[in-house]
Amino acid sequence: MAIIQKTSEEIELMREAALVVSRTLGMLASEVKPGVTTLYLDKLAEEYIQSQDAIPGFLGLYDFPNTLCMSPNEQVVHGIPNNTPLLEGDIISIDCGAVKNGFYGDHAYTFEVGEVAPEVKKLLEVTKQSLYVGIEQFKIGNRVGDVGYAIQKFTEDHGYGVVRELVGHGLGKTMHEDPEMPNYGRRGRGKKFIEGMVVAIEPMTNLGTKNIKHHSDGWTITTRDNKPSAHFEHDVALVDGKPELLSTFGYIYQALGIESDEELPFRKEVLVL
Ligand code: MG
Ligand code: MG
């Protein structure tokens, strides 16, 4: 399959779709706390996305039953929202998709529920950093393997496990386009990046073993050793040869009172929230 290039107009439409997801995650940021259920958060997200003249992107996709993939603690991704309350010290990966202007936005953040153990906090920090380490390599002259290599090297240097079975992907009018974007790889290998392509880069990083297990509900995936796993995802376009962020964690940071300039190198203009 060929990589689908987007025009600059299409990339602006995709930015709107990505920002619907960013605002949804920002709205959820102040709702994530001990005692809240993932099903409640899922309902909030569904209503919020609809209020933005957008459609929940995951609901019904491959028969997924909900708006959000909610994956606490040892769950890696694709967790199904349920009525179990979040507990102090949990982490919860929230992956959200929305369709706006006929294009998909797809991005994810792993939240802390109350006070989290220092080793888990570190896992979250390193996984998020690895996302930007990967994004830096998404540029003309590079290939898929350059992004994967950079993420893998950074992650394994910290002693963490890089999930192999699940990967990032091209994004557009469908949720999963070419190319696949693994979080591991070899420099100079794989498909060449081209101007106007859009990808979701999404490291999934385990505190312990890289190995995972699939559960009988057909969706839930956990670490094989039941140690925590983190997941961060951005939507990125290749513009003027360089990575340009379409999504933002800015709404989350605004809600949580976090100061960050991590996205600045990947934007032509400062994003006004
Ligand atoms: Mg996602
Ligand atoms: Mg994705």
Side-chain angles (χ1 to χ4, degrees):
M1 295 267 283
I3 294 171
I4 301 172
Q5 285 171 284
K6 279 80 182 176
T7 64
S8 49
E9 291 77 17
E10 287 174 323
I11 287 172
E12 287 320 303
L13 294 176
M14 289 196 70
R15 189 191 306 277
E16 288 179 26
L19 290 178
V20 167
V21 179
S22 302
R23 286 195 294 273
T24 308
L25 293 175
M27 177 276 295
L28 293 170
S30 30
E31 301 286 341
V32 170
K33 48 190 150 210
V36 160
T37 71
T38 50
L39 201 54
Y40 169 76
L41 297 172
D42 186 72
K43 270 290 150 221
L44 288 183
E46 182 177 344
E47 286 162 16
Y48 184 82
I49 290 169
Q50 285 162 348
S51 79
Q52 304 290 301
D53 290 320
I55 303 164
F58 295 168
L59 186 62
L61 185 73
Y62 312 118
D63 290 328
F64 188 76
N66 290 85
T67 293
L68 301 174
C69 293
M70 305 281 268
S71 311
N73 303 322
E74 77 282 4
Q75 292 188 17
V76 180
V77 286
H78 300 168
I80 298 174
N82 62 29
N83 273 316
T84 308
L86 295 173
L87 299 176
E88 176 83 23
D90 281 351
I91 54 170
I92 177 79
S93 149
I94 305 186
D95 194 350
C96 181
V99 184
K100 172 123 180 151
N101 308 317
F103 286 99
Y104 277 86
D106 170 27
H107 88 118
Y109 192 88
T110 303
F111 294 88
E112 300 171 26
V113 184
E115 201 54 49
V116 163
E119 64 164 5
V120 179
K121 229 181 194 0
K122 180 85 193 293
L123 171 71
L124 299 187
E125 267 165 38
V126 169
T127 307
K128 183 154 63 69
Q129 282 169 12
S130 80
L131 169 59
Y132 295 107
V133 165
I135 289 172
E136 256 173 27
Q137 298 301 318
F138 180 57
K139 57 188 180 189
I140 292 296
N142 274 0
R143 292 169 181 265
V144 165
D146 293 300
V147 169
Y149 172 83
I151 293 173
Q152 181 181 7
K153 170 102 176 59
F154 185 82
T155 305
E156 291 180 348
D157 283 352
H158 283 87
Y160 298 137
V162 174
V163 174
R164 299 298 201 277
E165 293 86 343
L166 300 144
V167 297
H169 49 94
L171 188 71
K173 287 183 177 163
T174 55
M175 171 78 178
H176 295 112
E177 292 183 356
D178 263 13
E180 287 195 341
M181 296 286 294
N183 299 302
Y184 57 91
R186 295 173 66 185
R187 277 187 280 195
R189 297 296 179 95
K191 287 192 177 166
K192 238 186 211 170
F193 295 137
I194 55 173
E195 183 73 13
M197 68 186 290
V198 178
V199 293
I201 300 179
E202 50 179 315
M204 289 155 258
T205 304
N206 299 346
L207 186 63
T209 176
K210 67 181 190 307
N211 297 321
I212 59 169
K213 51 188 178 200
H214 293 263
H215 289 250
S216 57
D217 62 14
W219 286 105
T220 309
I221 293 165
T222 59
T223 55
R224 194 158 277 279
D225 57 9
N226 289 320
K227 289 187 178 170
S229 181
H231 178 213
F232 291 86
E233 178 178 25
H234 267 312
D235 298 338
V236 198
L238 213 163
V239 179
D240 297 334
K242 298 193 302 265
E244 161 93 14
L245 274 180
L246 301 183
S247 53
T248 179
F249 295 141
Y251 294 100
I252 296 171
Y253 296 157
Q254 202 173 48
L256 300 180
I258 294 170
E259 298 266 345
S260 171
D261 55 7
E262 67 194 27
E263 297 180 0
L264 282 183
F266 309 112
R267 268 182 219 296
K268 280 207 272 301
E269 300 162 25
V270 174
L271 184 72
V272 181
L273 299 181

